[in-house]
């Protein structure tokens, strides 16, 4: 599958389900205390390092962006789906959201203090993951914090029916924490913490916290 094809399918799928997706996840953090704790830790790490902009890449309807702002972080959101960005702007007026792709991340080098990809890297093809992680490293300041949320496993699933019963064509890639740790290390990150999570967010979830290593 070409990069253009899966990106187009993912964009169209989330354009289709945007409003129902927002309804589905709107109160999800109220039911996921461990996820809230991880997000608070991430926010604390960014703040203790001096603060600065934080990119929520694959922000969807903007709920994580808004939660980080409530935690005192200068977060902004980026998503592939224009309709999802419209929903995010409507639901969280005053916050900054823009359309973009993590495969061609339009952020200046070393300009963000933190970056979060909360269950959004799951849609990226295996062949594209290293390039995405290189973009993450490029835009993060040296020592900047990266938080990844993902589903654990060794399989790829094709999601054809989505939120609200709407048709979708989006691939969900399940990955092992050890595998992602190796790829992060190769991309210039040092993983500092990882946790398995089973909740309303994901029955087979996990998070990785990593720091961007300085250039050698």
């Amino acid at each position: 599958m070409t990069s253009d094809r899966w990106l187009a399918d993912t964009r169209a799928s989330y354009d289709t389900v945007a409003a129902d997706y927002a309804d589905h996840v709107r109160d999800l953090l109220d039911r996921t205390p461990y996820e809230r704790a991880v997000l608070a830790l991430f926010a604390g790490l960014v703040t203790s390092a001096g603060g600065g902009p934080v990119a929520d890449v694959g922000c969807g309807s903007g709920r994580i962006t808004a939660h980080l702002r409530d935690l005192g972080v200068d977060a902004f959101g980026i998503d592939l789906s224009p309709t999802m960005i419209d929903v995010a702007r409507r639901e969280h007026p005053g916050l900054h959201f823009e359309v973009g792709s993590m495969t061609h991340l339009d952020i200046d080098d070393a300009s963000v203090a933190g970056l979060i990809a909360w269950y959004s890297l799951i849609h990226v093809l295996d062949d594209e993951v290293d390039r995405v992680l290189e973009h993450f490293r490029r835009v993060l300041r040296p020592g900047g914090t990266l938080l990844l949320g993902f589903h654990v496993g060794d399989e790829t699933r094709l999601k054809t029916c989505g939120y609200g019963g709407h048709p979708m064509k989006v691939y969900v890639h399940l990955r092992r924490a050890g595998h992602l740790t190796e790829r992060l290390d190769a991309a210039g990150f040092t993983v500092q913490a990882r946790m398995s999570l089973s909740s309303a967010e994901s029955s087979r979830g996990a998070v990785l916290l990593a720091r961007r290593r300085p250039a050698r």
Side-chain angles (χ1 to χ4, degrees):
M1 184 190 307
T2 65
S3 175
D4 288 346
R5 182 70 266 160
W6 73 265
L7 282 170
D9 287 342
T10 302
R11 180 185 297 110
S13 293
Y14 278 101
D15 278 347
T16 300
V17 303
D20 288 291
Y21 174 86
D23 290 340
H24 178 77
V25 302
R26 183 172 292 110
D27 301 318
L28 200 55
L29 282 174
D30 294 339
R31 297 182 280 131
T32 51
Y34 293 109
E35 282 82 350
R36 292 199 307 272
V38 169
L39 292 168
L41 173 60
F42 171 72
L45 290 170
V46 171
T47 301
S48 65
V54 169
D56 179 7
V57 181
C59 66
S61 57
R63 66 188 180 102
I64 301 298
T65 319
H67 185 73
L68 290 173
R69 288 297 291 259
D70 289 342
L71 293 173
V73 173
D74 182 18
F76 64 95
I78 299 171
D79 199 88
L80 183 66
S81 161
T83 307
M84 197 70 83
I85 289 297
D86 288 342
V87 171
R89 289 170 176 164
R90 184 168 63 248
E91 298 219 342
H92 308 287
L95 301 189
H96 179 71
F97 297 98
E98 60 188 64
V99 177
S101 171
M102 65 178 69
T103 59
H104 298 86
L105 202 52
D106 188 17
I107 301 176
D108 291 340
D109 294 1
S111 63
V112 298
L115 190 150
I116 179 170
W118 193 250
Y119 293 92
S120 54
L121 191 66
I122 62 173
H123 297 311
V124 175
L125 292 175
D126 281 338
D127 290 346
E128 299 278 349
V129 168
D130 291 340
R131 180 157 66 103
V132 168
L133 295 180
E134 288 171 4
H135 274 295
F136 288 177
R137 183 187 184 281
R138 176 183 62 78
V139 304
L140 273 166
R141 299 171 183 170
T145 301
L146 172 67
L147 174 58
L148 300 180
F150 57 99
H151 303 299
V152 175
D154 297 303
E155 61 184 299
T156 293
R157 301 171 179 171
L158 175 60
K159 188 178 182 74
T160 58
C161 183
Y163 310 92
H166 298 291
M168 299 183 78
K169 184 181 180 183
V170 62
Y171 289 90
V172 180
H173 304 277
L174 283 66
R175 299 183 171 104
R176 298 288 175 184
H179 176 64
L180 279 177
T181 296
E182 291 175 357
R183 297 180 85 159
L184 284 164
D185 180 69
F189 290 92
T190 298
V191 172
Q192 298 191 309
R194 69 186 189 185
M195 179 188 298
S196 297
L197 299 167
S198 180
S199 69
E201 186 81 60
S202 173
S203 61
R204 299 167 65 183
V207 294
L208 289 172
L209 276 160
R211 283 198 183 276
R212 181 201 153 173
R213 293 195 298 268
R216 294 174 180 172

